[in-house]
Coordinates of all heavy atoms in Angstrom, one line a residue:
E1 N -4.7 -6.2 -2.0 CA -5.8 -6.9 -2.7 C -7.0 -6.0 -2.9 O -7.3 -5.1 -2.1 CB -6.2 -8.1 -2.0 CG -7.3 -9.0 -2.6 CD -7.7 -10.1 -1.8 OE1 -8.2 -9.9 -0.6 OE2 -7.6 -11.3 -2.3
I2 N -7.6 -5.9 -4.2 CA -8.5 -5.0 -4.5 C -9.9 -5.6 -4.5 O -10.2 -6.7 -5.0 CB -8.2 -4.4 -6.0 CG1 -7.0 -3.5 -5.9 CG2 -9.4 -3.7 -6.5 CD1 -6.6 -3.1 -7.3
D3 N -10.8 -4.9 -3.9 CA -12.2 -5.1 -4.0 C -12.8 -4.2 -5.2 O -12.8 -3.0 -4.9 CB -13.0 -4.9 -2.7 CG -14.5 -5.0 -2.9 OD1 -15.0 -6.1 -2.9 OD2 -15.2 -3.9 -3.1
P4 N -13.1 -4.7 -6.3 CA -13.3 -3.8 -7.5 C -14.3 -2.7 -7.3 O -14.1 -1.6 -7.6 CB -13.8 -4.8 -8.6 CG -13.2 -6.1 -8.2 CD -13.2 -6.1 -6.7
D5 N -15.6 -3.0 -6.7 CA -16.6 -2.0 -6.7 C -16.2 -0.8 -5.6 O -16.3 0.4 -6.0 CB -17.9 -2.6 -6.1 CG -18.5 -3.4 -7.2 OD1 -18.3 -3.3 -8.3 OD2 -19.4 -4.4 -6.7
T6 N -15.7 -1.3 -4.5 CA -15.3 -0.2 -3.6 C -14.0 0.6 -4.1 O -13.9 1.8 -3.9 CB -14.8 -0.8 -2.2 OG1 -15.9 -1.6 -1.7 CG2 -14.6 0.2 -1.2
F7 N -13.1 -0.1 -4.7 CA -11.8 0.6 -5.2 C -12.3 1.5 -6.3 O -11.8 2.7 -6.4 CB -10.9 -0.5 -5.8 CG -9.6 0.1 -6.2 CD1 -8.7 0.7 -5.3 CD2 -9.2 0.0 -7.6 CE1 -7.5 1.2 -5.7 CE2 -8.0 0.5 -7.9 CZ -7.2 1.1 -7.1
H8 N -13.3 1.2 -7.1 CA -13.7 2.1 -8.3 C -14.3 3.5 -7.7 O -14.1 4.5 -8.1 CB -14.7 1.4 -9.1 CG -15.2 2.2 -10.2 ND1 -16.3 3.1 -10.2 CD2 -14.7 2.3 -11.5 CE1 -16.4 3.7 -11.4 NE2 -15.5 3.3 -12.1
A9 N -15.1 3.2 -6.5 CA -15.7 4.4 -5.9 C -14.6 5.2 -5.2 O -14.6 6.5 -5.2 CB -16.7 3.9 -4.8
A10 N -13.6 4.6 -4.5 CA -12.5 5.4 -4.0 C -11.8 6.1 -4.9 O -11.3 7.3 -4.7 CB -11.6 4.4 -3.2
L11 N -11.5 5.5 -6.2 CA -10.8 6.2 -7.2 C -11.5 7.5 -7.6 O -10.9 8.6 -8.0 CB -10.5 5.4 -8.3 CG -9.4 4.3 -8.3 CD1 -9.4 3.3 -9.5 CD2 -8.1 5.0 -8.1
S12 N -12.8 7.3 -7.7 CA -13.7 8.5 -8.2 C -13.5 9.7 -7.2 O -13.3 10.8 -7.6 CB -15.1 8.1 -8.2 OG -15.3 7.2 -9.3
L13 N -13.5 9.4 -5.8 CA -13.2 10.4 -4.9 C -11.8 11.0 -5.0 O -11.7 12.2 -5.0 CB -13.4 9.8 -3.5 CG -14.8 9.7 -2.9 CD1 -14.8 9.0 -1.5 CD2 -15.5 11.1 -2.8
A14 N -10.8 10.2 -5.1 CA -9.5 10.6 -5.2 C -9.2 11.5 -6.4 O -8.6 12.5 -6.3 CB -8.5 9.4 -5.2
R15 N -9.7 11.0 -7.5 CA -9.5 11.8 -8.8 C -10.1 13.2 -8.7 O -9.6 14.1 -9.2 CB -10.0 11.1 -10.0 CG -9.1 10.0 -10.4 CD -9.8 9.1 -11.5 NE -8.8 8.4 -12.3 CZ -9.0 7.3 -13.0 NH1 -10.2 6.7 -12.8 NH2 -8.1 6.7 -13.7
T16 N -11.3 13.4 -8.0 CA -11.9 14.6 -7.9 C -11.2 15.6 -7.1 O -11.2 16.8 -7.3 CB -13.4 14.4 -7.3 OG1 -14.0 13.5 -8.2 CG2 -14.2 15.7 -7.1
H17 N -10.5 15.0 -6.1 CA -9.9 16.0 -5.0 C -8.4 16.0 -4.9 O -7.8 16.7 -4.2 CB -10.4 15.6 -3.6 CG -12.0 15.8 -3.5 ND1 -12.5 17.0 -3.2 CD2 -13.0 14.9 -3.5 CE1 -13.8 17.0 -3.2 NE2 -14.2 15.7 -3.3
I18 N -7.8 15.2 -5.8 CA -6.3 15.1 -5.6 C -5.5 16.4 -5.9 O -4.6 16.7 -5.2 CB -5.7 14.0 -6.5 CG1 -4.2 13.7 -6.2 CG2 -5.9 14.2 -8.0 CD1 -4.0 13.3 -4.8
E19 N -6.0 17.2 -6.8 CA -5.3 18.4 -7.1 C -5.3 19.4 -6.0 O -4.3 20.1 -5.7 CB -6.0 19.1 -8.3 CG -5.2 20.4 -8.8 CD -5.7 21.0 -10.1 OE1 -6.7 20.4 -10.7 OE2 -5.3 22.0 -10.4
T20 N -6.4 19.4 -5.2 CA -6.5 20.3 -4.0 C -5.8 19.7 -2.8 O -5.1 20.5 -2.1 CB -8.0 20.5 -3.7 OG1 -8.7 21.1 -4.8 CG2 -8.2 21.4 -2.5
L21 N -6.0 18.4 -2.6 CA -5.5 17.8 -1.4 C -4.0 17.4 -1.4 O -3.3 17.4 -0.5 CB -6.4 16.6 -1.0 CG -7.8 16.9 -0.6 CD1 -8.5 15.6 -0.4 CD2 -7.8 17.8 0.6
G22 N -3.6 17.0 -2.6 CA -2.2 16.6 -2.8 C -1.8 15.3 -2.6 O -1.1 14.6 -3.3
Y23 N -2.2 14.7 -1.4 CA -1.8 13.3 -1.0 C -3.0 12.6 -0.4 O -3.6 13.1 0.6 CB -0.7 13.4 0.0 CG 0.1 12.0 0.2 CD1 1.3 11.9 -0.4 CD2 -0.5 11.0 1.0 CE1 2.0 10.6 -0.3 CE2 0.1 9.8 1.1 CZ 1.5 9.6 0.5 OH 2.1 8.5 0.7
I24 N -3.4 11.5 -1.0 CA -4.7 10.8 -0.5 C -4.3 9.4 -0.3 O -3.9 8.6 -1.2 CB -5.8 11.0 -1.5 CG1 -6.3 12.4 -1.7 CG2 -7.0 10.1 -0.9 CD1 -7.3 12.6 -2.7
Q25 N -4.4 8.9 1.0 CA -4.1 7.5 1.3 C -5.3 6.7 1.0 O -6.4 7.0 1.4 CB -3.7 7.4 2.8 CG -2.5 8.2 3.2 CD -2.3 8.1 4.7 OE1 -3.2 8.1 5.5 NE2 -0.9 8.0 5.1
F26 N -5.1 5.5 0.4 CA -6.1 4.5 0.3 C -5.8 3.6 1.5 O -5.1 2.6 1.3 CB -6.0 3.8 -1.0 CG -6.5 4.5 -2.2 CD1 -5.9 5.7 -2.6 CD2 -7.6 4.1 -3.0 CE1 -6.4 6.5 -3.6 CE2 -8.0 4.8 -4.1 CZ -7.5 6.0 -4.4
Q27 N -6.6 3.8 2.6 CA -6.2 3.2 3.9 C -6.8 1.8 3.9 O -8.0 1.5 3.4 CB -6.6 4.0 5.0 CG -5.5 4.9 5.5 CD -4.3 4.2 6.2 OE1 -4.3 3.0 6.3 NE2 -3.4 5.0 6.6
T28 N -6.2 0.9 4.7 CA -6.7 -0.4 5.0 C -7.3 -0.4 6.4 O -7.9 -1.4 6.8 CB -5.6 -1.5 4.9 OG1 -4.6 -1.2 5.8 CG2 -5.1 -1.6 3.4
N29 N -7.2 0.7 7.1 CA -7.6 0.8 8.5 C -8.5 2.0 8.6 O -8.2 3.0 8.0 CB -6.5 0.9 9.5 CG -5.6 -0.3 9.6 OD1 -6.2 -1.5 9.5 ND2 -4.3 -0.2 9.6
A30 N -9.5 2.0 9.4 CA -10.4 3.2 9.7 C -9.6 4.3 10.4 O -8.6 4.1 11.1 CB -11.6 2.8 10.5
P31 N -10.0 5.5 10.1 CA -9.2 6.7 10.7 C -9.5 6.7 12.2 O -10.5 6.3 12.7 CB -9.9 7.9 10.1 CG -11.2 7.5 9.5 CD -11.0 6.0 9.2

């Protein structure tokens, strides 16, 4: 299930760093 505002912010982070990091989990639990 998506929370639109938070998901949009998470996508911005992922798109910025995916080429360098390779694999980014959108986690449902805190690290």
